Amino acid sequence: MRYLWISLIFLSFFSTCQKEKVEDKGEVIVSVYGKKLYKTDLENIVYDGISYNDSVLRAKVYIDKWVHNQLLIRQAENNLKPEQLDFSKRLEEYRNSLVINKYETELINQNLDTEVTEDQIYDYYKNNSGEFRLNRDIVKVASVTLPKDSKRKWVFTKWIRNYDTLMVDTLTYLANKYALEYDFNIKDWRDFEDVANIYNLKIKDNKSFLSNKKYFVVNDDETYTLVKICEYRLVGDESPCEMETDRIKYIILTNRKKALLENLYKDLHSKAIQDNALEVF
């Protein structure tokens, strides 16, 4: 088997290590064209609690991978042109990118005002309403489900048909006494498709349905459900501010980060000019 001798080396190696850990960076485990892998390179391969067999297996996998890489690296170095092997510029650019990113991150963490008030959210929404358009139909609905033979149908029908926020207390009182279930939360917008699926509505044209149906009834063998569409908005309409709160907060914070970094660069640029440290040739 390929690299079988490596496994044999490690059977001996781990037998010794289990009894006593010896710090000897000079002991070589395997060598490939002069490149050496030392015993100390394998210290992080095993850990407390791992079995002897698993330790040997993990070590062998690591060694096989190391040998594999060394063979490929040697082949590549022998076949690529010197300029193709020069990564100094890329490494410098990568390091600079990491350093800048790290500093900017620390600067933002220490100086960014992360509090976004409701007034700031609403002001942004009002001044940029054209940015927020719906890609789906949404509704606010109220509903109540009664037993099929309920004698209180007419009462709920009356209140639901004329539903507004002033009647919530009355409807809730009645529903607690006579309804099987109810939902009078009209603060939250819902996807109309979800509502249609709940009540198994077969609708060909959402716009036509919502424009003409403010109230509908859903029956089955045991229940009688009254549903009131209190408000709706269609695809392309302005999206409600309350649905865009998280997005607006993200935009505001992103703009603050951008302004913070731009001011930093301006300050650094001005200081470099003041110190006569910036020359353009």
Side-chain angles (χ1 to χ4, degrees), residues 58-154:
R58 286 173 63 87
K60 182 182 183 304
V61 169
Y62 183 87
I63 294 172
D64 285 351
K65 181 65 175 177
W66 184 87
V67 171
H68 174 85
N69 287 343
Q70 296 309 313
L71 292 173
L72 286 177
I73 290 171
R74 183 176 186 277
Q75 181 70 6
E77 289 177 340
N78 288 338
N79 286 274
L80 292 175
K81 298 177 181 178
E83 59 269 23
Q84 292 176 306
L85 294 170
D86 184 6
F87 298 102
S88 56
K89 183 177 180 180
R90 289 188 188 179
L91 290 173
E92 182 181 4
E93 290 175 350
Y94 180 61
R95 179 188 178 278
N96 290 343
S97 176
L98 290 177
V99 170
I100 291 172
N101 181 263
K102 180 65 176 178
Y103 178 69
E104 289 180 345
T105 299
E106 290 298 318
L107 182 74
I108 289 170
N109 289 340
Q110 294 175 18
N111 297 280
L112 183 68
D113 177 11
T114 57
E115 182 180 357
V116 181
T117 66
E118 291 183 3
D119 287 342
Q120 289 171 330
I121 290 173
Y122 179 72
D123 287 342
Y124 186 92
Y125 174 82
K126 183 174 60 176
N127 295 326
N128 301 274
S129 58
E131 295 181 14
F132 307 105
R133 295 294 170 182
L134 289 168
N135 59 4
R136 63 197 185 283
D137 302 323
I138 58 175
V139 292
K140 289 182 177 181
V141 297
S143 65
V144 59
T145 299
L146 306 167
K148 191 68 174 287
D149 58 355
S150 174
K151 297 179 179 179
R152 302 297 192 291
K153 290 180 184 177
W154 68 271

Side-chain angles (χ1 to χ4, degrees), residues 149-165:
D149 58 355
S150 174
K151 297 179 179 179
R152 302 297 192 291
K153 290 180 184 177
W154 68 271
V155 177
F156 284 98
T157 300
K158 174 184 176 182
W159 288 101
I160 285 284
R161 279 183 179 275
N162 299 297
Y163 185 86
D164 63 39
T165 55

Side-chain angles (χ1 to χ4, degrees), residues 104-105 107-109 111-114 124 131 249-267:
E104 289 180 345
T105 299
L107 182 74
I108 289 170
N109 289 340
N111 297 280
L112 183 68
D113 177 11
T114 57
Y124 186 92
E131 295 181 14
K249 183 176 181 180
Y250 174 80
I251 293 172
I252 290 173
L253 291 177
T254 299
N255 288 341
R256 287 180 186 175
K257 291 177 185 178
K258 183 179 178 181
L260 183 65
L261 296 177
E262 286 178 349
N263 288 333
L264 168 67
Y265 177 75
K266 288 179 181 178
D267 291 343

Side-chain angles (χ1 to χ4, degrees), residues 137 192 203-212 232 234:
D137 302 323
F192 180 58
I203 302 171
K204 294 182 179 180
D205 186 342
N206 288 355
K207 181 177 181 180
S208 176
F209 180 89
L210 292 171
S211 299
N212 296 288
Y232 72 90
L234 302 172

